């Protein structure tokens, strides 16, 4: 376990897949301006898996939205492969907490949707979708509709859809949070394996420290809102990884205790009474 500054792992001169430079975001609300992000500086190297952890509501999902181009900051810059993100970023795949499956389409048709949008032929779409659905264990449910499959199957379908987008950068916002413990580990292992095979870059929001350590190369710990980078930790566990087996490693327990200590301080700070100006 080592502490690391907010720069890309490996060669610091390598072009980052995603970069945040002094990013500040505030949202207009009925009660006035609400600061969310406060001077974020993070580089994500090509092929790196970076997990984002921090108190609820601190702005982790907003960072993903900046990369996707659905939110713009008031200050600083969000860059994708060296260029500022302006408008919707169609070169990333975004897997949110709630899937965006189309209820009138079958499992096969939902999975193949990114290829359909890209203009691929029906035969190409079918062959590619069948292959990926087999990898995620849904080959027996190709003609089912989303409402006819379980929540875990829907998560696997959403992952298949994300992979079929052909994007090399995945934005993932607690994608497996609703799954039971056993299925969650299986999905984590599947993601880890597919990430290795395809050399994917992943920016991953989670509240589960176990998940963050098992999957990530680096873990960014955020402060309370407005969020700043509290610390960044490198996960010194060799790849490829057996997600379940990593939990028995001494380095895992050491890093978990370290991260929990950092987050506990933020949670304790958030619980303090709000300071009011003197009258």
């Amino acid at each position: 376990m080592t502490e690391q500054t907010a720069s890309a792992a490996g060669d610091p001169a390598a072009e980052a897949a995603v970069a945040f430079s002094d990013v500040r975001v505030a949202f207009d609300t009925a009660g006035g301006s609400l600061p969310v992000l406060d001077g974020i500086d993070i580089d994500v190297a090509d092929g790196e898996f970076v997990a984002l952890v921090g108190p609820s509501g601190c702005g982790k999902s907003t960072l993903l939205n900046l990369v996707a181009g659905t939110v713009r900051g008031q200050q600083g810059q969000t860059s994708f492969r060296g260029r500022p993100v302006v408008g919707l970023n169609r070169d990333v795949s975004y897997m949110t907490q709630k899937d965006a499956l189309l209820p009138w389409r079958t499992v096969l048709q939902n999975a193949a949707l990114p290829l359909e949008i890209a203009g691929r032929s029906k035969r190409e779409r079918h062959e590619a979708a069948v292959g990926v659905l087999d990898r995620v264990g849904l080959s027996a449910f190709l003609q089912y509709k989303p409402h006819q499959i379980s929540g875990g199957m829907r998560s696997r379908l959403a992952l298949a859809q994300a992979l079929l987008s052909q994007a090399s950068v995945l934005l993932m916002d607690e994608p497996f949070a609703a799954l039971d413990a056993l299925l969650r580990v299986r999905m984590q292992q599947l993601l880890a394996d597919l990430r290795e095979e395809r050399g994917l870059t992943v920016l991953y929001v989670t509240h589960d420290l176990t998940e963050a350590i098992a999957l990530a190369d680096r873990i960014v710990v955020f402060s309370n809102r407005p969020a700043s980078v509290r610390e960044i930790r490198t996960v010194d566990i060799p790849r490829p990884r057996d997600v379940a087996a990593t939990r028995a490693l001494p380095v895992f327990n050491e890093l978990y205790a370290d991260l929990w200590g950092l987050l506990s301080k933020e949670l304790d700070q958030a619980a303090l009474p709000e300071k009011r100006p003197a009258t």
Side-chain angles (χ1 to χ4, degrees):
M1 177 189 66
T2 59
E3 184 173 346
Q4 184 168 315
T5 58
S7 60
D11 180 4
E15 181 181 283
V18 176
F20 303 96
S21 178
D22 193 29
V23 171
R24 300 173 191 270
V25 175
F27 295 135
D28 292 329
T29 70
S33 179
L34 177 67
V36 178
L37 300 176
D38 184 21
I40 303 298
D41 290 290
I42 306 170
D43 289 352
V44 181
D46 203 23
E48 188 179 21
F49 194 124
V50 173
L52 311 178
V53 301
S56 294
C58 72
K60 301 181 295 297
S61 298
T62 300
L63 277 173
L64 300 191
N65 293 335
L66 286 165
V67 182
T70 58
V71 167
R72 294 195 67 179
Q74 284 74 39
Q75 182 176 317
Q77 182 170 280
T78 301
S79 301
F80 182 80
R81 301 204 180 282
R83 297 183 177 182
V85 176
V86 179
L88 289 179
N89 186 354
R90 301 186 186 280
D91 293 321
V92 299
S93 182
Y94 198 166
M95 189 173 173
T96 59
Q97 296 178 40
K98 185 175 181 180
D99 65 65
L101 303 175
L102 300 179
W104 60 88
R105 296 179 68 118
T106 65
V107 165
L108 179 60
Q109 291 168 339
N110 265 291
L113 183 59
L115 299 177
E116 184 177 338
I117 294 172
R120 301 279 289 274
S121 70
K122 187 175 182 178
R123 180 177 178 179
E124 287 179 306
R125 298 197 305 263
H126 183 273
E127 290 179 353
V130 167
V132 173
L133 288 169
D134 182 58
R135 288 297 309 276
V136 300
L138 291 176
S139 57
F141 301 90
L142 300 184
Q143 301 308 316
Y144 283 60
K145 299 289 180 63
H147 73 275
Q148 295 174 314
I149 59 178
S150 69
M153 291 178 180
R154 290 175 66 104
S155 292
R156 281 183 272 170
L157 175 54
L159 178 58
Q161 190 179 69
L163 294 169
L164 282 162
S165 72
Q166 302 300 299
S168 61
V169 176
L170 298 187
L171 310 176
M172 309 187 80
D173 191 354
E174 296 192 80
F176 309 139
L179 304 183
D180 66 71
L182 293 177
L183 183 55
R184 187 167 185 168
V185 171
R186 289 184 62 188
M187 290 295 293
Q188 290 166 354
Q189 188 64 59
L190 176 61
L191 174 60
D193 293 343
L194 291 171
R195 181 259 182 185
E196 288 288 325
E197 292 173 16
R198 296 184 54 178
L200 299 170
T201 303
V202 184
L203 200 55
Y204 195 99
V205 170
T206 181
H207 284 97
D208 185 340
L209 297 182
T210 297
E211 180 174 68
I213 298 169
L215 293 175
D217 297 305
R218 289 188 301 149
I219 301 171
V220 182
V221 182
F222 291 98
S223 69
N224 290 294
R225 188 181 66 240
S228 59
V229 175
R230 177 80 165 76
E231 298 285 350
I232 295 183
R233 295 291 187 258
T234 299
V235 182
D236 290 329
I237 300 176
R239 294 188 181 278
R241 294 179 190 166
D242 180 325
V243 168
T246 60
R247 305 181 188 201
L249 300 174
V251 67
F252 184 100
N253 295 320
E254 179 186 354
L255 185 51
Y256 187 99
D258 177 44
L259 293 168
W260 178 248
L262 291 170
L263 284 175
S264 293
K265 291 179 181 178
E266 294 301 323
L267 295 173
D268 290 343
Q269 186 66 31
L272 293 176
E274 182 181 356
K275 294 182 179 180
R276 299 183 182 276
T279 57

